[in-house]
Amino acid sequence: MKKVLCFLDNDSGRDVEMLLPLIYFMEKFLYCRVEFNFIWDVYAVFRKKPDLVLLPNTVGSRLYFQISQYAARQNIPVFALISEGNMRTDGSFDYWGYNHDKKFYQEFVCFWSARTRDFLRSELPGINEKLVLTGATGFDRYNIYQFEKRADFLKRKGLQQYKKVIGYAGWAFGKLSNPQGREELLSFFKGDASWLQWTERQMLAVENMLRQAMEQYPEILFVLKRHPNEANPSIVAEGRNEMNPLISYPNVLYVKEEENLHDLISISDIWMGFETTTTMEAWLMKNQMPTLLLNPDPDFNRDQLFKGSVVFQTTEQLINAIEEFYDKGTVAAFDEKEKLRARQQLITDTIGWGDGFNHIRTAYFVEKTLEQLPGGSASKPRFSLKYAWMYVLMELGKYFYIRIVFIRLPKFKKTIWIFEKFRLRNIPVLQARYTQFMEDFYSKHRIADKYRKGSLYAELSIDKNDRPKQ
């Protein structure tokens, strides 16, 4: 039995959903015992001496990078996924992120698509054997899980009076409201400050389109979902975005982290956004549900996913589409054959496969990593005073933590996210909820039988060029 230490910065959301299907396979077939640990507690690598460290990514936050670096330097293998794997291949994407060493410490770099893998292979030819195609595990749930029914969701929220629901996935406009966010936007726009003004204009224009739709259709519930990465967790105050000025409308439900994205898509008739990969999640869950993009100015450096949705520049276009859908049950522009073909190709180019098996493709490389573990006792990491002190502060601080006090103290309010998240209480709840879905999916596809016979990985089109040399 191998001890695996999985680090997370939250107990729900994107990173959790990416990892749970993979962890289910690891524990069921790869003789792993996975323990969850909060991201702030880097010192756990020293205390718990795992055989393997598992991460959702190594470039998306400073702490994830530090964990990968610390573990690898102690000869503890690191296996990591990619949280934002739909990277652009035109040179505009910073694929190193917080990895200032510009060196991947994990055993494999797992790519969502052949498009992105091949791009990095051309950029970094010296580590081609590390760069492998697995598909995006976080999208597997749309083939495996059952989601909350609209009637149950609305009853839970006390909103049973609504029979129609439109969802909207927020963009990270809130970054404009804090220095770190503006810095990140400036980096994205290659240092051109004029694009910050453009971003603010788009935010106000999108807000206006949403506002007019809400006023036009008071009988429709608009569910607005804040982007999970709109601000660093240490930033307590919520910045202004395109949604929060609208929360006073009675037909608006503004959601932050308390609801699963897949449940919000499941209860919606139409799914909207400014620019968002959640449109693809809507295609996977309900291939007939229209996805609409609100782009007052559509001429900007953007991902190709927009080609599968209908793009609206004006409120009038949006109102007409909503009217058409509830009158005819469809939006003709979304159903065009060209759009359908685009969606099919975009799924392949973005997440590799939409069949629910990406977590098993990923598990193939986990298994190869485990096969290379040294025999005997686990490695003995060197003590780190920095990480030990972080652990002590967290352990002591939890006894003194009072939110209403910490939020008034400038240095302390940056730690609120630590004390509210470090227990990761929701993980066992999600695992218990998803287990039956996983078992049913595995039974339906005879996963256990195929694994025992040795045919499972071969059936899943794992690229022979990705397979480690024996």
Side-chain angles (χ1 to χ4, degrees):
M1 189 66 70
K2 301 299 182 185
K3 187 200 300 190
V4 179
L5 198 55
C6 176
F7 287 87
L8 288 165
D9 65 359
N10 208 331
D11 60 5
S12 64
R14 177 196 60 190
D15 288 350
V16 176
E17 299 296 347
M18 287 166 39
L19 284 164
L20 288 185
L22 174 63
I23 289 169
Y24 178 86
F25 188 96
M26 290 170 63
E27 294 190 325
K28 191 174 184 68
F29 296 108
L30 304 186
Y31 303 101
C32 292
R33 184 179 74 254
V34 180
E35 179 182 341
F36 294 93
N37 213 85
F38 189 57
I39 188 176
W40 182 263
D41 183 15
V42 186
Y43 187 55
V45 175
F46 178 85
R47 296 195 324 277
K48 300 180 180 181
K49 300 176 175 58
D51 297 298
L52 178 72
V53 165
L54 179 63
L55 299 171
N57 69 76
T58 61
V59 300
S61 84
R62 189 172 288 104
L63 284 170
Y64 279 138
F65 167 66
Q66 289 173 350
I67 292 167
S68 72
Q69 182 191 61
Y70 183 51
R73 287 179 176 176
Q74 320 310 319
N75 297 317
I76 297 176
V78 176
F79 193 91
L81 305 182
I82 292 182
S83 297
E84 295 281 0
N86 186 27
M87 65 180 70
R88 299 172 189 178
T89 55
D90 60 1
S92 64
F93 186 83
D94 178 14
Y95 49 81
W96 290 116
Y98 283 95
N99 183 342
H100 302 303
D101 289 357
K102 296 190 186 312
K103 174 184 177 182
F104 289 115
Y105 288 101
Q106 64 258 49
E107 299 302 304
F108 295 99
V109 183
C110 300
F111 288 92
W112 288 11
S113 67
R115 172 183 63 85
T116 54
R117 179 204 58 186
D118 293 346
F119 169 70
L120 259 291
R121 282 185 170 178
S122 66
E123 292 278 297
L124 305 169
I127 58 168
N128 273 357
E129 288 188 4
K130 269 184 178 283
L131 312 180
V132 297
L133 171 62
T134 62
T137 63
F139 294 83
D140 284 356
R141 65 191 189 274
Y142 295 107
N143 287 274
I144 301 174
Y145 301 167
Q146 296 176 23
F147 304 104
E148 190 167 14
K149 292 180 171 55
R150 179 185 296 180
D152 295 335
F153 179 91
L154 295 178
K155 182 178 180 180
R156 181 160 59 84
K157 294 293 185 181
L159 297 167
Q160 301 96 312
Q161 70 270 32
Y162 292 100
K163 307 302 178 188
K164 303 172 181 178
V165 179
I166 294 177
Y168 173 87
W171 198 70
F173 286 111
K175 288 182 181 294
L176 288 168
S177 299
N178 65 80
Q180 180 180 330
R182 292 178 71 85
E183 218 175 276
E184 291 171 1
L185 288 172
L186 264 177
S187 176
F188 176 75
F189 292 127
K190 303 297 184 185
D192 187 346
S194 66
W195 280 99
L196 296 181
Q197 298 169 1
W198 176 90
T199 302
E200 185 170 8
R201 290 196 300 270
Q202 301 314 297
M203 177 182 72
L204 297 174
V206 172
E207 176 195 322
N208 185 57
M209 292 176 75
L210 289 170
R211 184 187 302 276
Q212 292 189 53
M214 292 162 186
E215 293 175 350
Q216 180 81 12
Y217 299 104
E219 76 281 9
I220 298 176
L221 177 66
F222 288 82
V223 179
L224 312 180
K225 176 71 167 72
R226 183 180 186 238
H227 193 286
N229 289 337
E230 189 173 272
N232 186 288
S234 63
I235 299 173
V236 177
E238 180 175 330
R240 189 197 194 287
N241 58 33
E242 77 274 40
M243 298 169 289
N244 47 28
L246 307 171
I247 60 178
S248 61
Y249 282 86
N251 60 331
V252 167
L253 176 64
Y254 182 48
V255 176
K256 299 179 186 178
E257 298 176 356
E258 65 273 20
E259 299 293 341
N260 289 314
L261 172 69
H262 47 239
D263 288 327
L264 302 183
I265 295 174
S266 177
I267 67 166
S268 298
D269 300 315
I270 294 172
W271 192 251
M272 305 190 302
F274 174 73
E275 185 188 24
T276 173
T277 57
T278 64
T279 54
M280 185 169 54
E281 298 178 56
W283 306 339
L284 292 170
M285 182 183 288
K286 298 180 179 180
N287 60 15
Q288 297 302 314
M289 181 169 71
T291 54
L292 315 178
L293 297 181
L294 313 186
N295 294 152
D297 177 5
D299 186 18
F300 62 98
N301 183 14
R302 62 194 309 184
D303 186 83
Q304 296 299 300
L305 281 176
F306 78 92
K307 293 180 179 178
S309 298
V310 185
V311 179
F312 294 140
Q313 294 181 250
T314 68
T315 303
E316 183 181 8
Q317 292 172 324
L318 173 60
I319 296 297
N320 289 340
I322 294 173
E323 195 75 30
E324 180 185 5
F325 177 82
Y326 286 112
D327 182 41
K328 299 180 180 178
T330 185
V331 175
F334 180 77
D335 292 334
E336 292 174 355
K337 289 183 179 179
E338 182 182 347
K339 289 287 184 187
L340 176 60
R341 285 194 295 269
R343 289 193 289 275
Q344 292 170 339
Q345 187 60 49
L346 285 164
I347 287 172
T348 299
D349 289 346
T350 305
I351 64 170
W353 297 268
D355 56 9
F357 297 113
N358 289 332
H359 70 286
I360 300 179
R361 294 182 179 96
T362 306
Y364 169 83
F365 296 101
V366 175
E367 187 165 350
K368 293 305 172 187
T369 300
L370 294 172
E371 288 172 358
Q372 300 303 315
L373 292 179
S377 59
S379 300
K380 296 181 180 179
R382 291 192 300 272
F383 175 79
S384 166
L385 180 61
K386 171 186 174 182
Y387 297 141
W389 181 238
M390 288 168 60
Y391 171 69
V392 168
L393 289 176
M394 182 179 74
E395 285 297 303
L396 290 177
K398 68 185 181 184
Y399 296 109
F400 300 95
Y401 173 65
I402 303 173
R403 182 181 173 86
I404 59 173
V405 174
F406 273 47
I407 204 167
R408 288 174 168 80
L409 303 171
K411 289 187 177 180
F412 286 83
K413 70 179 181 181
K414 293 181 179 180
T415 67
I416 286 176
W417 71 281
I418 299 172
F419 299 112
E420 296 197 344
K421 299 294 183 183
F422 79 95
R423 291 185 176 89
L424 300 175
R425 288 189 174 121
N426 193 46
I427 299 293
V429 176
L430 291 177
Q431 287 184 300
R433 178 184 175 191
Y434 294 158
T435 293
Q436 189 59 55
F437 303 149
M438 296 296 295
E439 289 177 356
D440 291 345
F441 183 78
Y442 276 40
S443 176
K444 175 183 177 182
H445 295 283
R446 298 174 43 247
I447 300 300
D449 183 51
K450 292 176 181 178
Y451 183 77
R452 282 194 299 268
K453 291 179 178 178
S455 63
L456 179 61
Y457 295 138
E459 289 185 19
L460 296 181
S461 305
I462 296 171
D463 193 326
K464 291 181 180 179
N465 293 325
D466 283 343
R467 301 188 181 190
K469 294 181 175 63
Q470 300 300 319

